[in-house]
Amino acid sequence: THVGIAHTRWATHGVPSPTNSHPHVSDPDNTFVVVHNGIITNFEALKNFLTKEGYAFYSDTDTEVIPKLAKYIYDKTTQPMTFPELVQQVMKQLNGAYALLFKSTKYPNELVACKLGSPLILGIKESPMMQKDPADVTIKDADILASKHHASIYGVEYFLASDAAAVVEHTKQVMVLEDRDVLHIKSTGDFEVWHPSATLVDGALLQENMQHVTRAIDTLQ
């Protein structure tokens, strides 16, 4: 699996400069790397907390708190967590609007994306091997094509963006992610979408678990 992440941005916090440019990282080892579209309204409180915990900040952006928060949670957690579970814990601490992409050396060859309030789509470009004549598609092929998850068998490229205009030159097959969705592209190249499911007792939140969900794949006109 090969992944590249970048972000063309205008400045929500700080002037446009190399220091304020994305991606932002958690530490000199780039343990967690993040690009962000949106605005984190409680970043100052998070920055103050993380500074007291020994984290150094170098930019003027709100985004820089996110990879550092991810590393803080990872380091403080005693039980193993999957990458999507870790990102969900980060999301719980963020206020504002965001579409986020995460990479980490702790989860090699994986990518996690999530969103709240800011748009995020997944473009899917199938390899030529998948673009068969319908008459040549076997039952096994049909099952694989329907699932859209078996990149390890045929090969596929994914494009994550805030707008369809960024992916239409590469593919017209897109999935629109919903608020609080967490997309996990695994080391095998397959992907899953997770969404929090709340358990309420007398109107109070008792527990929140991640549940696997299916999102429609649409064709751009």
Side-chain angles (χ1 to χ4, degrees):
T1 303
H2 301 280
V3 175
I5 59 176
H7 179 34
T8 303
R9 67 182 289 273
W10 57 278
T12 52
H13 293 89
V15 299
S17 68
T19 301
N20 290 333
S21 296
H22 297 213
H24 286 284
V25 301
S26 58
D27 58 359
D29 294 328
N30 300 335
T31 306
F32 289 91
V33 180
V34 169
V35 295
H36 166 218
N37 179 39
I39 184 169
I40 304 302
T41 56
N42 65 331
F43 85 97
E44 289 182 340
L46 292 171
K47 185 174 182 178
N48 290 337
F49 170 79
L50 291 167
T51 298
K52 292 177 181 177
E53 293 294 321
Y55 288 84
F57 286 80
Y58 303 98
S59 77
D60 300 317
T61 69
D62 53 337
T63 303
E64 194 179 0
V65 301
I66 302 172
K68 289 174 169 53
L69 180 61
K71 187 172 189 304
Y72 172 81
I73 294 173
Y74 181 89
D75 289 343
K76 293 294 183 181
T77 302
T78 57
Q79 299 296 323
M81 279 194 299
T82 65
F83 206 176
E85 289 171 340
L86 175 63
V87 169
Q88 186 202 20
Q89 294 303 312
V90 172
M91 292 173 69
K92 289 180 178 180
Q93 306 303 319
L94 301 178
N95 296 335
Y98 51 81
L100 301 170
L101 304 185
F102 290 79
K103 282 287 293 173
S104 175
T105 58
K106 298 296 184 181
Y107 302 94
N109 299 316
E110 299 181 43
L111 181 143
V112 173
C114 64
K115 63 151 290 189
L116 179 66
S118 295
L120 186 63
I121 63 169
L122 173 71
I124 303 169
K125 182 179 181 181
E126 299 163 351
S127 72
M129 290 182 66
M130 291 189 73
Q131 298 167 0
K132 296 182 178 183
D133 185 286
D136 296 329
V137 175
T138 65
I139 293 176
K140 181 179 179 182
D141 289 332
D143 291 340
I144 293 169
L145 287 166
S147 73
K148 296 290 185 179
H149 293 256
H150 295 269
S152 57
I153 297 176
Y154 285 110
V156 66
E157 290 181 272
Y158 299 119
F159 303 87
L160 284 150
S162 297
D163 191 279
V167 305
V168 69
E169 66 178 292
H170 304 289
T171 180
K172 292 187 176 181
Q173 301 297 113
V174 299
M175 173 186 294
V176 178
L177 297 175
E178 298 183 6
D179 277 351
R180 304 181 76 199
D181 277 354
V182 177
L183 169 74
H184 181 206
I185 299 178
K186 299 183 284 187
S187 59
T188 57
D190 305 338
F191 73 86
E192 297 175 323
V193 181
W194 299 87
H195 192 86
S197 175
T199 300
L200 300 178
V201 176
D202 296 329
L205 179 63
L206 178 64
Q207 190 175 8
E208 190 175 64
N209 297 313
M210 295 295 283
Q211 179 180 353
H212 179 258
V213 296
T214 300
R215 299 284 180 240
I217 298 175
D218 301 314
T219 301
L220 297 174
Q221 300 300 318

